[in-house]
Amino acid sequence: MDKTYSPGEIEARVYRLWETNGLFAPAGDGSPYCIVIPPPNVTGTLHMGHAFQDTIMDALTRFHRMAGDRTLWQPGADHAGIATQMVVERQLNAQGLTRHDLGRERFTERVWQWKEQSGGAIARQMRRLGASVDWSRDRFTMDPGMSQAVQEAFLRLHDEGLIYRGKRLVNWDPVLKTALSDLEVQSEEADGHLWHIRYPFADGQGHVTVATTRPETLLGDAAVAFHPGDERYRGLEGRRIALPLADREIPMIADDFVDPAFGSGLVKVTPAHDFNDYEVGQRHGLPLINVLAADAKLGDAAPARYHGLDRFDARTRIVGELEAAGLVEKVEPHRLVIPKGDRSGAVLEPWLTDQWYVRIAPLAEPAIRAVQDGRIRFVPANWDRTYFEWMRNIKDWCISRQLWWGHRIPAWYGPDGAVYVGRSEADARARAGLPADLPLVQDEDVLDTWFSSALWPFSTLGWPGDTPELRRFYPTSVLVTGFDIIFFWVARMIMMGLRFMVDVPFREVYVHGLIRDHEGQKMSKSKGNVIDPLDIVDGIGLEELVAKRVTGLMQPKLAPAIERSTRKQYPHGIAPYGTDALRFTFASLATQSRDLSFDLGRVEGYRNFCNKLWNAARFVLMTAESPVEAGPETLSPYDRWIRSRLDATVAAVRDGFAGYRFDLAAQAAYEFTWYEFCDWYLEFSKTVMQSPDVGADQRRGTRRTLLETLEALLRLLHPLMPFITEEIWQRVGPLAGRTGDSIMRQPYPSVLPGAAAPEVESEVRWVMDFILGVRRIRGELDIAPSVPFELRLQNAAPLDLERYARNEGALRRLAGIAGATPLAAGEPAPQAAAALLGDLRILVPMAGLIDVGSELARLDRRRSKIEQELARADAKLGNEKFVRNAPAAVVTQERERVLEFKRELAQLAEQYERVASLR
RNA sequence: GGGUGCUUAGCUCAGCUGGUAGAGCGUCGCCCUUACAAGGCGAAUGUCGCAGGUUCGAUCCCUGCAGCACCCACCA
């Protein structure tokens, strides 16, 4: 093995081993465990969020697979309607074309081509991350099977009256020219104006003043409303107003929704262009006057002179004309909320169209109950409140989109406009008993991408067919997702799953945080702080990194600042850290926090951890690889100690996985590996293996413990660091008596009966404290490690002497001492620095070794520390109430501490005197 | 306007049902001791946001406040 771990050469080889041996497919007769992947956009690339999420899912998958479950991690990708269509349209635009130049058929062909060309990127990246998905079951939301599921779901919901078509206001994106659901609306605050406009009465007798932020919609006004209780306007109901510029009359009406305190207390009511006004219009039977066209230019219902005018130009012009007519009373600056499309960024319009909707209340109700009664559990639990909050206020879901890329709505129209729904045109015809020659035209629209995503947990498993996979793996075990798509996706899967499968789609929802940069900023192209996860795996040079960040910016003027900060932060680019280091970083980042700051420093730390493990393995192989003659074995205290510690670690790591606390699992494994196995056990083992006077049977025991502990540790770490553990295991596994192709299919370590050895732990603790005490003196008094010295032991109890004798080899080696002899009865203690270990005083004689001044300083530091502790403990015990009320064990413990402190202080004082007398 | 989080060492974060404050990175010493300098040994560092309350005892539970972040919402 090389002296340094180099991930690059190993990872590709190891992944190939797994994939070609078919190790990702479900196997065995264990209980089923299944995770469906949140399908990434098929033409997208893997970002840090994906890498993080995939790491978690892969860790769970590998953990359960090793624990004996029949485990499926179901992969797939999403067609991502709007996002993908926009990418391809942009490509066309670059050639000076629009999708209309190609027409629907050629355009969708073109999207398919783009999908074929770029669709493999994510899968390749996932392989680099070690994702153990069952590639043979890879699915795409536009696959024939998926499409069938979509049609079936649509049909059934429609038959049950849960899908309907209706003309009403929707959120309209005038750039993409499609309807959007409420969730796709991003509200943004902005500075605008509040125009106070005079509306003259039709009879010429005065006017009223209304306040509006959207004067151009005046052309669509159908009334002016005031609050019924508003004294100022009492009696005005029914009074006619001559709508300026529009040459129409509209009535005054009274309605509760008006806030008398806002503006003038009068609202212009524009039912076709505002959601509130729409409601008011319904209540009062007002006409819907739709003055905007699909592109948000003024249309037919507006006076002819405004036709074709863009809405914002129309605003300027209308305000100008009103001013000219003396109808603008005042203009105030006003903070308002502007709805924008989450993809296009266009300012949306409430617009009157025919759309398809899902009647959501009947679906939401059982979905709420499923979480209430615990059939679905959110982790962390408090996310259920967010879920309830939304579900209880949910509105019908607009599912039709005026796009070309997506699942075509399975509805056909007859010549008379009648609607026929079916799995296909023939099916629709058959279901309605229509004659073959009746011409039918399919609905032009496609379904919201999230409609197919909502079916994902069962459509991927074969629904509407009744497949073995569906029966075995549904409900799936856990959904791993970010909180940003709880509404978009999680809630809808629950509703659809309960409707079609009559059971929840998953039993648990693990909601993880969002990966941000090291300063807690969201990663985004325009901030220039995006890191490609594979650049951490493979490394990237500075120039290339800068180029990556500044090309393709929406706002090129940001480039210099991004370049500067990138050069400052990564003066040497990014080193190749390997997948395992990245994955371990993600695991340790997976706390319960919502915002997870990603710091490359941690990756470096865990890269070092990989190297540490690698070298520990090298050591184990060097000491234990050569065959030894068979024979009886004896375990040393250190062997039993490390086995006991491993056992505790296994318990902690398993707890971590069970509770989705990957950070705690990672931490427990890290600490065991580095601080117990490497720092102590390997050193202890040297005293056994490299000392001439240790018997062969004990050597065999240690050799076996080295191999078995390392081997178990590799299995323990494997879900988090699959590559390095596999690579090492290939050599260590067989030596530890394991057979098999791969660590992947080995059992996950379990807590073993009899492994925990508290009495051994306490003896080894004594040994370690002994060593630490001596090392501290050495460190604080600057005695070089190469200078051995002879110790004297004062106040040694028989147990101390026994322990010393049993562990002398380790003590000599690890404390760097030449030996230790107890003081004889009555023998005066030499001038010495002392370490305290209970009653035992470990003396480092000072002759020729120690500087009096620095020893006194050391004693002083120690004394003030103990005095502080003592003062606190004393105060506690001085409090009668504490003594009376605290549990006896706590009080006793506190008393013991006080005794301990006092004893140590006395010893320190004595020691101080003695050393001081040397001056 | 409603809701949800967060505030612990210079930085990033743990801290399980209240009982002596921890880790990584960074910092400071001493070491190339044949697994590992991507390392070893040792050291320093905290009014646990602020103010009350409950309790023998609060980083932890309760209340209020401040700051930060996010989500939802129709005030023209």
Side-chain angles (χ1 to χ4, degrees), chain A residues 259 262 276 385 594 597 607 618 674-675 772 879 882 897:
Chain A
D259 175 2
F262 188 91
N276 264 321
R385 303 193 55 165
R594 283 179 185 201
S597 302
R607 187 271 317 258
R618 276 181 66 215
W674 204 308
Y675 305 132
L772 289 170
N879 183 347
F882 170 72
R897 291 184 68 218

Short mmCIF file of all heavy atoms in Angstrom, two decimals, chain A residues 259 262 276 385 594 597 607 618 674-675 772 879 882 897, chain B residues 4 13-14 19-20 24 35 38 40 42 56 74-76:
data_model
loop_
_atom_site.label_atom_id
_atom_site.label_comp_id
_atom_site.label_asym_id
_atom_site.label_seq_id
_atom_site.Cartn_x
_atom_site.Cartn_y
_atom_site.Cartn_z
N ASP A 259 -60.98 47.72 3.46
CA ASP A 259 -60.45 48.25 4.72
C ASP A 259 -60.62 49.77 4.69
O ASP A 259 -59.95 50.45 3.91
CB ASP A 259 -58.97 47.87 4.81
CG ASP A 259 -58.32 48.48 6.04
OD1 ASP A 259 -59.03 49.15 6.83
OD2 ASP A 259 -57.11 48.29 6.21
N PHE A 262 -57.51 52.08 4.79
CA PHE A 262 -56.49 52.14 3.75
C PHE A 262 -56.88 53.16 2.69
O PHE A 262 -58.01 53.18 2.21
CB PHE A 262 -56.32 50.77 3.11
CG PHE A 262 -55.15 50.72 2.15
CD1 PHE A 262 -53.89 50.35 2.60
CD2 PHE A 262 -55.31 51.08 0.82
CE1 PHE A 262 -52.81 50.33 1.72
CE2 PHE A 262 -54.24 51.06 -0.05
CZ PHE A 262 -52.99 50.68 0.40
N ASN A 276 -58.78 39.25 -5.28
CA ASN A 276 -59.78 39.77 -4.36
C ASN A 276 -60.99 40.30 -5.09
O ASN A 276 -62.12 40.03 -4.73
CB ASN A 276 -59.19 40.95 -3.57
CG ASN A 276 -58.68 40.49 -2.25
OD1 ASN A 276 -59.30 39.65 -1.61
ND2 ASN A 276 -57.54 41.00 -1.87
N ARG A 385 -45.71 20.77 11.59
CA ARG A 385 -46.49 22.00 11.76
C ARG A 385 -46.53 22.81 10.47
O ARG A 385 -47.55 23.40 10.13
CB ARG A 385 -45.88 22.84 12.89
CG ARG A 385 -45.81 22.06 14.17
CD ARG A 385 -45.51 22.92 15.34
NE ARG A 385 -46.49 24.02 15.44
CZ ARG A 385 -46.64 24.75 16.54
NH1 ARG A 385 -45.90 24.50 17.59
NH2 ARG A 385 -47.52 25.71 16.56
N ARG A 594 -31.37 23.89 9.84
CA ARG A 594 -31.92 24.11 8.50
C ARG A 594 -30.88 24.61 7.53
O ARG A 594 -31.01 24.43 6.35
CB ARG A 594 -32.86 25.30 8.51
CG ARG A 594 -34.06 25.11 9.02
CD ARG A 594 -34.84 26.38 8.98
NE ARG A 594 -36.00 25.99 9.67
CZ ARG A 594 -37.16 26.56 9.62
NH1 ARG A 594 -37.32 27.61 8.89
NH2 ARG A 594 -38.14 26.11 10.24
N SER A 597 -23.69 25.20 6.73
CA SER A 597 -22.60 25.93 6.09
C SER A 597 -21.50 24.96 5.68
O SER A 597 -20.98 24.23 6.51
CB SER A 597 -22.03 26.97 7.04
OG SER A 597 -23.04 27.86 7.44
N ARG A 607 -10.48 14.43 4.71
CA ARG A 607 -9.52 13.80 3.80
C ARG A 607 -8.36 13.25 4.65
O ARG A 607 -7.89 12.12 4.45
CB ARG A 607 -9.03 14.84 2.79
CG ARG A 607 -8.14 14.32 1.68
CD ARG A 607 -6.66 14.31 2.04
NE ARG A 607 -6.22 15.50 2.72
CZ ARG A 607 -5.55 16.48 2.13
NH1 ARG A 607 -5.27 16.41 0.85
NH2 ARG A 607 -5.15 17.51 2.84
N ARG A 618 -2.49 0.16 6.81
CA ARG A 618 -1.13 -0.22 6.43
C ARG A 618 -0.41 -0.84 7.61
O ARG A 618 0.26 -1.88 7.50
CB ARG A 618 -0.33 1.01 5.98
CG ARG A 618 -0.54 1.40 4.56
CD ARG A 618 0.32 2.62 4.25
NE ARG A 618 1.75 2.31 4.31
CZ ARG A 618 2.69 3.13 4.74
NH1 ARG A 618 2.36 4.33 5.18
NH2 ARG A 618 3.94 2.78 4.76
N TRP A 674 -9.88 7.53 15.35
CA TRP A 674 -8.66 8.31 15.55
C TRP A 674 -8.16 8.23 16.99
O TRP A 674 -6.99 7.93 17.24
CB TRP A 674 -8.92 9.77 15.16
CG TRP A 674 -7.67 10.51 14.79
CD1 TRP A 674 -6.54 10.60 15.53
CD2 TRP A 674 -7.43 11.25 13.59
NE1 TRP A 674 -5.60 11.36 14.88
CE2 TRP A 674 -6.12 11.76 13.67
CE3 TRP A 674 -8.18 11.54 12.45
CZ2 TRP A 674 -5.56 12.55 12.67
CZ3 TRP A 674 -7.61 12.33 11.46
CH2 TRP A 674 -6.31 12.82 11.56
N TYR A 675 -9.07 8.51 17.92
CA TYR A 675 -8.60 8.69 19.30
C TYR A 675 -8.45 7.40 20.09
O TYR A 675 -7.76 7.37 21.09
CB TYR A 675 -9.53 9.64 20.06
CG TYR A 675 -9.68 10.95 19.36
CD1 TYR A 675 -10.92 11.52 19.15
CD2 TYR A 675 -8.56 11.61 18.86
CE1 TYR A 675 -11.06 12.72 18.48
CE2 TYR A 675 -8.68 12.80 18.19
CZ TYR A 675 -9.93 13.35 17.99
OH TYR A 675 -10.05 14.53 17.32
N LEU A 772 -0.66 9.87 30.36
CA LEU A 772 -0.97 11.29 30.14
C LEU A 772 -0.32 12.17 31.19
O LEU A 772 0.17 13.25 30.89
CB LEU A 772 -2.49 11.50 30.13
CG LEU A 772 -3.22 10.93 28.92
CD1 LEU A 772 -4.73 10.98 29.12
CD2 LEU A 772 -2.82 11.68 27.65
N ASN A 879 -24.91 24.59 50.36
CA ASN A 879 -26.32 24.89 50.19
C ASN A 879 -27.15 23.73 50.73
O ASN A 879 -27.23 22.66 50.15
CB ASN A 879 -26.58 25.11 48.69
CG ASN A 879 -28.01 25.49 48.43
OD1 ASN A 879 -28.87 25.38 49.30
ND2 ASN A 879 -28.26 25.94 47.21
N PHE A 882 -29.53 21.98 48.45
CA PHE A 882 -28.94 21.03 47.50
C PHE A 882 -28.80 19.67 48.15
O PHE A 882 -29.21 18.65 47.61
CB PHE A 882 -27.58 21.53 47.01
CG PHE A 882 -26.81 20.50 46.22
CD1 PHE A 882 -27.19 20.17 44.94
CD2 PHE A 882 -25.70 19.87 46.77
CE1 PHE A 882 -26.49 19.22 44.21
CE2 PHE A 882 -25.00 18.92 46.06
CZ PHE A 882 -25.40 18.60 44.77
N ARG A 897 -15.85 14.59 45.01
CA ARG A 897 -15.06 15.54 44.23
C ARG A 897 -14.33 16.49 45.17
O ARG A 897 -13.15 16.80 44.98
CB ARG A 897 -15.95 16.34 43.29
CG ARG A 897 -16.52 15.52 42.15
CD ARG A 897 -17.30 16.40 41.20
NE ARG A 897 -16.43 17.31 40.47
CZ ARG A 897 -16.72 18.57 40.17
NH1 ARG A 897 -17.85 19.09 40.58
NH2 ARG A 897 -15.88 19.31 39.50
P U B 4 -45.14 28.47 15.42
OP1 U B 4 -45.60 27.37 16.30
OP2 U B 4 -44.88 29.81 15.98
"O5'" U B 4 -43.84 28.00 14.65
"C5'" U B 4 -43.89 26.88 13.78
"C4'" U B 4 -42.60 26.77 13.02
"O4'" U B 4 -42.46 27.89 12.11
"C3'" U B 4 -41.34 26.85 13.85
"O3'" U B 4 -41.08 25.62 14.50
"C2'" U B 4 -40.30 27.23 12.82
"O2'" U B 4 -39.93 26.12 12.04
"C1'" U B 4 -41.08 28.20 11.94
N1 U B 4 -40.86 29.61 12.32
C2 U B 4 -39.72 30.22 11.81
O2 U B 4 -38.93 29.64 11.11
N3 U B 4 -39.56 31.53 12.18
C4 U B 4 -40.39 32.29 12.96
O4 U B 4 -40.11 33.45 13.20
C5 U B 4 -41.54 31.59 13.45
C6 U B 4 -41.74 30.30 13.12
P C B 13 -22.73 27.13 10.92
OP1 C B 13 -23.76 27.11 9.88
OP2 C B 13 -22.77 28.13 12.00
"O5'" C B 13 -22.64 25.67 11.54
"C5'" C B 13 -23.26 25.35 12.75
"C4'" C B 13 -22.68 24.05 13.23
"O4'" C B 13 -21.33 24.26 13.70
"C3'" C B 13 -23.37 23.42 14.42
"O3'" C B 13 -24.50 22.71 13.98
"C2'" C B 13 -22.30 22.53 14.99
"O2'" C B 13 -22.18 21.35 14.24
"C1'" C B 13 -21.04 23.38 14.77
N1 C B 13 -20.70 24.18 15.95
C2 C B 13 -20.09 23.51 17.03
O2 C B 13 -19.89 22.31 16.93
N3 C B 13 -19.76 24.22 18.13
C4 C B 13 -20.00 25.53 18.18
N4 C B 13 -19.65 26.18 19.27
C5 C B 13 -20.62 26.22 17.10
C6 C B 13 -20.95 25.52 16.01
P A B 14 -25.65 22.35 15.01
OP1 A B 14 -26.82 21.99 14.22
OP2 A B 14 -25.76 23.35 16.09
"O5'" A B 14 -25.02 21.03 15.61
"C5'" A B 14 -24.89 20.90 17.00
"C4'" A B 14 -24.25 19.57 17.29
"O4'" A B 14 -22.84 19.80 17.50
"C3'" A B 14 -24.76 18.95 18.59
"O3'" A B 14 -25.88 18.15 18.38
"C2'" A B 14 -23.54 18.15 19.04
"O2'" A B 14 -23.40 16.96 18.31
"C1'" A B 14 -22.42 19.12 18.66
N9 A B 14 -22.17 20.12 19.70
C8 A B 14 -22.36 21.47 19.63
N7 A B 14 -22.04 22.11 20.73
C5 A B 14 -21.62 21.11 21.58
C6 A B 14 -21.13 21.12 22.91
N6 A B 14 -21.00 22.24 23.61
N1 A B 14 -20.80 19.95 23.47
C2 A B 14 -20.93 18.82 22.75
N3 A B 14 -21.37 18.67 21.50
C4 A B 14 -21.69 19.87 20.97
P G B 19 -27.91 17.79 32.76
OP1 G B 19 -27.69 19.07 32.07
OP2 G B 19 -27.45 16.55 32.20
"O5'" G B 19 -27.30 17.91 34.22
"C5'" G B 19 -26.46 19.02 34.54
"C4'" G B 19 -25.78 18.75 35.86
"O4'" G B 19 -26.76 18.64 36.90
"C3'" G B 19 -24.95 17.49 35.85
"O3'" G B 19 -23.63 17.86 36.22
"C2'" G B 19 -25.62 16.57 36.90
"O2'" G B 19 -24.66 16.01 37.75
"C1'" G B 19 -26.44 17.54 37.71
N9 G B 19 -27.71 17.03 38.26
C8 G B 19 -28.55 16.05 37.83
N7 G B 19 -29.60 15.91 38.60
C5 G B 19 -29.42 16.86 39.59
C6 G B 19 -30.21 17.20 40.71
O6 G B 19 -31.28 16.71 41.05
N1 G B 19 -29.66 18.23 41.46
C2 G B 19 -28.46 18.85 41.17
N2 G B 19 -28.07 19.81 41.99
N3 G B 19 -27.72 18.56 40.13
C4 G B 19 -28.25 17.55 39.39
P U B 20 -22.36 17.47 35.45
OP1 U B 20 -22.77 16.84 34.21
OP2 U B 20 -21.47 16.83 36.39
"O5'" U B 20 -21.86 18.94 35.08
"C5'" U B 20 -21.74 19.95 36.07
"C4'" U B 20 -20.28 20.24 36.35
"O4'" U B 20 -19.69 19.07 36.95
"C3'" U B 20 -19.44 20.53 35.11
"O3'" U B 20 -19.29 21.93 35.03
"C2'" U B 20 -18.08 19.88 35.40
"O2'" U B 20 -17.07 20.85 35.62
"C1'" U B 20 -18.31 19.12 36.71
N1 U B 20 -17.79 17.75 36.71
C2 U B 20 -16.53 17.59 37.20
O2 U B 20 -15.84 18.50 37.60
N3 U B 20 -16.09 16.28 37.20
C4 U B 20 -16.76 15.19 36.79
O4 U B 20 -16.23 14.07 36.87
C5 U B 20 -18.08 15.43 36.29
C6 U B 20 -18.54 16.69 36.27
P G B 24 -10.74 17.65 17.93
OP1 G B 24 -9.75 16.57 17.77
OP2 G B 24 -10.41 18.85 18.74
"O5'" G B 24 -11.19 18.14 16.49
"C5'" G B 24 -11.50 17.20 15.46
"C4'" G B 24 -11.97 17.94 14.24
"O4'" G B 24 -13.19 18.65 14.57
"C3'" G B 24 -11.04 19.05 13.76
"O3'" G B 24 -10.02 18.53 12.92
"C2'" G B 24 -11.98 19.97 13.01
"O2'" G B 24 -12.31 19.46 11.75
"C1'" G B 24 -13.22 19.91 13.91
N9 G B 24 -13.20 20.97 14.93
C8 G B 24 -12.85 20.84 16.25
N7 G B 24 -12.95 21.96 16.92
C5 G B 24 -13.39 22.88 15.98
C6 G B 24 -13.67 24.26 16.11
O6 G B 24 -13.60 24.96 17.14
N1 G B 24 -14.09 24.82 14.91
C2 G B 24 -14.21 24.13 13.73
N2 G B 24 -14.62 24.85 12.69
N3 G B 24 -13.96 22.84 13.59
C4 G B 24 -13.55 22.28 14.75
P A B 35 5.84 2.22 12.62
OP1 A B 35 5.45 2.73 13.92
OP2 A B 35 6.46 0.89 12.47
"O5'" A B 35 4.55 2.23 11.66
"C5'" A B 35 4.64 1.81 10.31
"C4'" A B 35 3.54 2.47 9.51
"O4'" A B 35 2.25 2.13 10.11
"C3'" A B 35 3.57 4.01 9.52
"O3'" A B 35 4.42 4.48 8.49
"C2'" A B 35 2.11 4.35 9.27
"O2'" A B 35 1.78 4.18 7.91
"C1'" A B 35 1.39 3.25 10.06
N9 A B 35 1.06 3.64 11.43
C8 A B 35 1.81 3.44 12.56
N7 A B 35 1.24 3.89 13.66
C5 A B 35 0.04 4.41 13.22
C6 A B 35 -1.03 5.03 13.89
N6 A B 35 -1.06 5.23 15.20
N1 A B 35 -2.08 5.44 13.15
C2 A B 35 -2.05 5.23 11.83
N3 A B 35 -1.10 4.65 11.07
C4 A B 35 -0.09 4.26 11.84
P A B 38 1.79 16.86 5.21
OP1 A B 38 2.27 15.87 4.29
OP2 A B 38 1.78 18.27 4.86
"O5'" A B 38 0.32 16.45 5.67
"C5'" A B 38 -0.62 17.44 6.24
"C4'" A B 38 -1.81 16.65 6.73
"O4'" A B 38 -2.59 16.31 5.55
"C3'" A B 38 -1.36 15.35 7.37
"O3'" A B 38 -1.50 15.23 8.77
"C2'" A B 38 -1.78 14.22 6.39
"O2'" A B 38 -2.43 13.19 7.06
"C1'" A B 38 -2.65 14.93 5.36
N9 A B 38 -2.23 14.62 3.99
C8 A B 38 -1.06 14.95 3.35
N7 A B 38 -1.01 14.56 2.10
C5 A B 38 -2.23 13.92 1.89
C6 A B 38 -2.77 13.29 0.77
N6 A B 38 -2.15 13.19 -0.39
N1 A B 38 -4.01 12.77 0.91
C2 A B 38 -4.63 12.89 2.07
N3 A B 38 -4.21 13.46 3.20
C4 A B 38 -3.00 13.97 3.05
P G B 40 -1.97 12.47 14.66
OP1 G B 40 -3.00 11.52 15.12
OP2 G B 40 -2.28 13.91 14.58
"O5'" G B 40 -0.68 12.31 15.56
"C5'" G B 40 -0.13 11.03 15.79
"C4'" G B 40 1.04 11.15 16.71
"O4'" G B 40 2.07 11.94 16.07
"C3'" G B 40 0.78 11.89 18.00
"O3'" G B 40 0.17 11.07 18.97
"C2'" G B 40 2.20 12.30 18.41
"O2'" G B 40 2.91 11.20 18.91
"C1'" G B 40 2.77 12.68 17.05
N9 G B 40 2.60 14.11 16.75
C8 G B 40 1.73 14.68 15.86
N7 G B 40 1.83 15.99 15.81
C5 G B 40 2.83 16.29 16.73
C6 G B 40 3.38 17.53 17.12
O6 G B 40 3.08 18.67 16.71
N1 G B 40 4.36 17.39 18.09
C2 G B 40 4.77 16.19 18.61
N2 G B 40 5.73 16.23 19.53
N3 G B 40 4.28 15.01 18.26
C4 G B 40 3.31 15.15 17.32
P G B 42 -0.84 14.05 24.94
OP1 G B 42 -1.19 13.32 26.16
OP2 G B 42 -1.80 14.13 23.82
"O5'" G B 42 -0.44 15.55 25.31
"C5'" G B 42 0.22 15.80 26.52
"C4'" G B 42 0.78 17.20 26.54
"O4'" G B 42 1.44 17.50 25.29
"C3'" G B 42 -0.23 18.33 26.66
"O3'" G B 42 -0.77 18.45 27.96
"C2'" G B 42 0.66 19.50 26.27
"O2'" G B 42 1.58 19.81 27.29
"C1'" G B 42 1.42 18.90 25.09
N9 G B 42 0.71 19.20 23.84
C8 G B 42 0.00 18.35 23.02
N7 G B 42 -0.52 18.96 21.99
C5 G B 42 -0.13 20.29 22.13
C6 G B 42 -0.40 21.43 21.33
O6 G B 42 -1.04 21.50 20.28
N1 G B 42 0.18 22.58 21.85
C2 G B 42 0.92 22.63 23.01
N2 G B 42 1.39 23.83 23.35
N3 G B 42 1.18 21.58 23.76
C4 G B 42 0.63 20.45 23.27
P C B 56 -36.45 23.59 45.34
OP1 C B 56 -36.78 22.44 46.20
OP2 C B 56 -37.07 24.92 45.56
"O5'" C B 56 -34.87 23.77 45.34
"C5'" C B 56 -34.24 24.45 46.42
"C4'" C B 56 -32.74 24.28 46.31
"O4'" C B 56 -32.41 22.88 46.50
"C3'" C B 56 -32.16 24.60 44.93
"O3'" C B 56 -31.91 25.99 44.80
"C2'" C B 56 -30.89 23.77 44.91
"O2'" C B 56 -29.86 24.39 45.65
"C1'" C B 56 -31.33 22.50 45.66
N1 C B 56 -31.80 21.44 44.75
C2 C B 56 -30.85 20.75 43.98
O2 C B 56 -29.66 21.06 44.07
N3 C B 56 -31.26 19.77 43.16
C4 C B 56 -32.56 19.46 43.09
N4 C B 56 -32.92 18.49 42.26
C5 C B 56 -33.54 20.15 43.85
C6 C B 56 -33.12 21.13 44.66
P C B 74 -52.39 35.26 -1.05
OP1 C B 74 -53.61 34.87 -1.78
OP2 C B 74 -51.05 34.94 -1.59
"O5'" C B 74 -52.43 36.82 -0.76
"C5'" C B 74 -52.25 37.73 -1.84
"C4'" C B 74 -53.27 38.83 -1.77
"O4'" C B 74 -54.60 38.29 -1.98
"C3'" C B 74 -53.39 39.50 -0.40
"O3'" C B 74 -52.41 40.51 -0.26
"C2'" C B 74 -54.80 40.05 -0.42
"O2'" C B 74 -54.87 41.24 -1.15
"C1'" C B 74 -55.55 38.97 -1.18
N1 C B 74 -56.22 37.98 -0.29
C2 C B 74 -57.32 38.40 0.48
O2 C B 74 -57.67 39.56 0.41
N3 C B 74 -57.93 37.51 1.27
C4 C B 74 -57.50 36.25 1.33
N4 C B 74 -58.15 35.42 2.13
C5 C B 74 -56.39 35.81 0.56
C6 C B 74 -55.79 36.69 -0.23
P C B 75 -51.48 40.63 1.00
OP1 C B 75 -50.29 39.79 0.75
OP2 C B 75 -52.29 40.41 2.23
"O5'" C B 75 -51.02 42.16 1.00
"C5'" C B 75 -51.74 43.10 1.77
"C4'" C B 75 -52.95 43.55 1.06
"O4'" C B 75 -54.03 43.55 2.02
"C3'" C B 75 -52.91 44.95 0.46
"O3'" C B 75 -52.51 44.93 -0.89
"C2'" C B 75 -54.33 45.44 0.64
"O2'" C B 75 -55.17 44.97 -0.38
"C1'" C B 75 -54.72 44.78 1.96
N1 C B 75 -54.32 45.59 3.14
C2 C B 75 -55.33 46.25 3.86
O2 C B 75 -56.49 46.12 3.49
N3 C B 75 -54.98 47.00 4.93
C4 C B 75 -53.71 47.11 5.28
N4 C B 75 -53.45 47.84 6.33
C5 C B 75 -52.67 46.44 4.58
C6 C B 75 -53.02 45.71 3.51
P A B 76 -51.34 45.97 -1.35
OP1 A B 76 -50.21 45.20 -1.76
OP2 A B 76 -51.29 46.92 -0.25
"O5'" A B 76 -51.90 46.73 -2.65
"C5'" A B 76 -53.00 47.55 -2.57
"C4'" A B 76 -54.08 47.00 -3.45
"O4'" A B 76 -55.28 46.96 -2.68
"C3'" A B 76 -54.34 47.85 -4.69
"O3'" A B 76 -54.69 47.02 -5.78
"C2'" A B 76 -55.47 48.76 -4.25
"O2'" A B 76 -56.33 49.07 -5.31
"C1'" A B 76 -56.21 47.92 -3.19
N9 A B 76 -56.65 48.73 -2.04
C8 A B 76 -56.29 49.99 -1.70
N7 A B 76 -56.89 50.44 -0.62
C5 A B 76 -57.70 49.40 -0.23
C6 A B 76 -58.60 49.24 0.84
N6 A B 76 -58.83 50.17 1.75
N1 A B 76 -59.26 48.08 0.95
C2 A B 76 -59.03 47.13 0.04
N3 A B 76 -58.20 47.16 -1.02
C4 A B 76 -57.56 48.34 -1.09
#
